[in-house]
Amino acid sequence: MKVALANPYWTYEGSIYFGCRAPHLPLEFGYAKAMLEAAGHEVLLLDGRLQDRGNQRLAEDVAQFGAQMTVVSTAPTYLFWRCAPPELRVPRDFLDSLGERGGLTVAVGPHGSATPEATLSKLGCDLVIRGECEETITRLAGAEDWKNVDGIAYFEGGIVVANGAAQASPFVDHPPLSWPAEWLAVHDHHHHRFDDDRKGYGAEVEASRGCPYNCSFCAKIDYRDAYRRRKVEHVIAEIDALIAQGVGYIYFIDEIFLPQKPLLEALVERDIQFGVQTRIDLWKPEMLELLGKAGCVSIEAGLESLTVEGREMLAKRCKLGTEELAELLIKARKHVPFVQANLIGVVEDDPALVTYWRTYLQDHGVWANEPVPLYPYPSSPDYRRLWGEPDNQAWERAHEHYLKSFAAFSDIQDQQPLPLRKLEAACCSA
């Protein structure tokens, strides 16, 4: 089968989206491409931002390829499935441009995973994949009747049919990925990096997936939930190939980069720098030193709240006090050029206390951001605590709650975000 995998040309005007807006490698499609080709299928992999092609041009490429199945993502790479743009206007724009020229149309991402019926209605595609997508894409391509594949949802006679639960990839044996040289040549973005000693291209790599914790704000119930660790030899082989292509910095997209001595010791021997997101309370001082020796130049540590009460409200299950956490962050800073204590807005945190600890950490070289407001994504425990299981109005409900709850937003957000119905005006005709 001829399969097109299309990451559309993302734009964010009027969006509450607070993820990074630079282009990144679409890892989910990288895995799917490797699996499809191993199964004998022909694949066209497209990325609007990395190839600087608008959605109409991407659709023309798919049509010229003669795709029998076209897959489009509703989030700009796996790294941002937990904080995707709520609106579906971008993938809808691509599908509108494609029309009937792409064969079976499939959407993957957090929207169809949590709210399949609403996503089908807004996108007008043939089916959505629920959960992690790489194996399901491959099964769809090889199926005699795609309606028998598990982990999908589609309309039949005006009624949504859902085959089983959202899928989770085994992930452990995922092969080393390879990327086009021309994609890496324009990937000058070093994600979440703020020091000046930059060299080479940037790239993203995944060493583990999921998280053993269940923090109330984290949108991962329907995907990337259980913690899995990829084989170190596959991760290193992928990194070696990236280094050979001129990459000097990688960002591990892992939800939580846990201490892993064999991987860090292998990285010590290589000319590569990297960034991670993690929990500082899970690191011992000697492992923080090894992390720095391995080439880590950026840590985003999910502290979230500066009080025990706030961390408990967020279900962080953190056993350390604020003083102990601050000490670990400061020790990490001795080995890593940039360390951030990531904070989110928590009503339990006294503003004066927040100011005190932010100043204390910054005086010791650790950046502590202004607490950012929480968005209750439908795949988060917070959403289900507030409203129960997500229904067809879940995204609208979460969006309205968010806009009503906060008068100011983070520096990277649009300061005048629009209501979802305005952002998705083009989706309403489906």
Side-chain angles (χ1 to χ4, degrees):
M1 174 179 275
K2 300 182 79 168
V3 182
L5 306 171
N7 193 23
Y9 191 95
W10 290 97
T11 56
Y12 306 103
E13 292 82 7
S15 178
I16 63 88
Y17 180 63
F18 46 82
C20 179
R21 302 186 178 202
H24 303 79
L25 297 173
L27 294 182
E28 61 271 49
F29 284 163
Y31 297 129
K33 180 176 184 290
M35 293 176 183
L36 286 163
E37 291 178 339
H41 302 290
E42 188 177 351
V43 180
L44 175 67
L45 177 60
L46 298 169
D47 187 286
R49 294 291 301 280
L50 286 170
Q51 296 178 286
D52 194 22
R53 298 177 185 177
N55 290 328
Q56 189 169 354
R57 168 69 188 280
L58 295 176
E60 295 297 330
D61 290 343
V62 172
Q64 187 171 12
F65 174 64
Q68 297 163 285
M69 180 171 80
T70 300
V71 186
V72 62
S73 177
T74 67
T77 173
Y78 259 154
L79 175 57
F80 303 114
W81 276 39
R82 290 182 300 151
C83 60
E87 67 277 7
L88 288 170
R89 62 180 173 180
V90 171
R92 174 62 193 252
D93 181 56
F94 166 76
L95 289 168
D96 282 346
S97 299
L98 183 63
E100 302 295 323
R101 300 177 294 169
L104 188 72
T105 51
V106 182
V108 304
H111 303 77
S113 300
T115 56
E117 183 172 352
T119 305
L120 285 164
S121 297
K122 291 179 179 180
L123 292 180
C125 56
D126 292 313
L127 69 131
V128 297
I129 290 177
R130 301 186 63 210
E132 298 162 26
C133 61
E134 49 264 51
E135 282 87 359
T136 306
I137 292 172
T138 309
R139 287 194 288 270
L140 283 168
E144 291 187 6
D145 184 352
W146 60 265
K147 292 184 177 179
N148 294 327
V149 173
D150 285 338
I152 66 170
Y154 56 95
F155 278 124
E156 189 163 73
I159 305 297
V160 69
V161 177
N163 291 353
Q167 303 291 293
S169 168
F171 179 68
V172 175
D173 293 316
H174 272 13
L177 296 180
S178 61
W179 298 99
E182 57 270 26
W183 286 25
L184 295 175
V186 298
H187 194 316
D188 56 358
H189 171 61
H190 288 196
H191 183 70
H192 204 267
R193 181 174 188 180
F194 303 97
D195 64 292
D196 296 326
D197 186 25
R198 301 184 180 206
K199 62 178 182 179
Y201 309 131
E204 292 77 42
V205 173
E206 190 176 23
S208 67
R209 183 178 295 183
C211 176
Y213 296 89
N214 296 292
C215 300
S216 64
F217 55 85
C218 189
K220 68 179 187 68
I221 291 175
D222 301 299
Y223 42 81
R224 305 184 64 85
D225 190 8
Y227 182 77
R228 291 144 284 171
R229 183 173 286 179
R230 194 175 172 204
K231 287 181 177 175
V232 171
E233 58 267 32
H234 291 187
V235 177
I236 291 299
E238 186 171 317
I239 292 171
D240 283 343
L242 289 169
I243 294 172
Q245 289 180 282
V247 169
Y249 174 84
I250 57 174
Y251 186 79
F252 286 100
I253 75 158
D254 313 30
E255 278 79 7
I256 182 168
F257 188 88
L258 293 176
Q260 189 179 168
K261 196 171 184 180
L263 175 59
L264 295 179
E265 289 178 338
L267 291 173
V268 169
E269 305 298 325
R270 286 163 170 80
D271 185 17
I272 191 76
Q273 295 175 310
F274 62 93
V276 301
Q277 51 187 340
T278 188
R279 282 178 59 140
I280 201 66
D281 56 311
L282 304 178
W283 289 80
K284 302 293 185 186
E286 61 272 21
M287 289 300 292
L288 289 172
E289 183 176 358
L290 178 58
L291 185 65
K293 287 180 179 177
C296 183
V297 294
S298 174
I299 296 175
E300 184 179 9
L303 200 60
E304 282 39 284
S305 168
L306 289 166
T307 65
V308 172
E309 294 78 11
R311 292 191 289 274
E312 288 180 352
M313 192 276 287
L314 296 168
K316 288 286 290 183
R317 291 196 289 138
C318 178
K319 297 179 179 178
L320 302 186
T322 301
E323 294 82 358
E324 296 169 293
L325 293 170
E327 183 181 354
L328 277 172
L329 289 165
I330 293 166
K331 285 182 177 176
R333 180 62 184 83
K334 292 180 179 177
H335 307 292
V336 177
F338 180 81
V339 177
Q340 176 181 354
N342 198 31
L343 301 177
I344 56 181
V346 178
V347 294
E348 280 75 5
D349 284 359
D350 182 300
L353 188 64
V354 171
T355 300
Y356 167 80
W357 279 112
R358 288 188 68 212
T359 302
Y360 177 81
L361 289 170
Q362 289 170 14
D363 286 347
H364 288 80
V366 175
W367 174 248
N369 62 278
E370 186 77 31
V372 297
L374 281 175
Y375 189 97
Y377 281 94
S379 289
S380 71
D382 268 344
Y383 179 93
R384 300 179 191 210
R385 175 180 58 81
L386 288 167
W387 300 296
E389 290 297 310
D391 59 16
N392 290 339
Q393 290 297 307
W395 293 90
E396 285 77 5
R397 188 177 296 113
H399 204 82
E400 184 178 2
H401 172 84
Y402 185 77
L403 295 184
K404 284 184 177 177
S405 299
F406 301 101
F409 301 91
S410 73
D411 292 342
I412 61 172
Q413 289 175 291
D414 194 313
Q415 290 303 301
Q416 294 183 319
L418 297 174
L420 195 55
R421 60 180 173 80
K422 288 190 176 180
L423 291 168
E424 291 187 329
C427 301
C428 296
S429 59

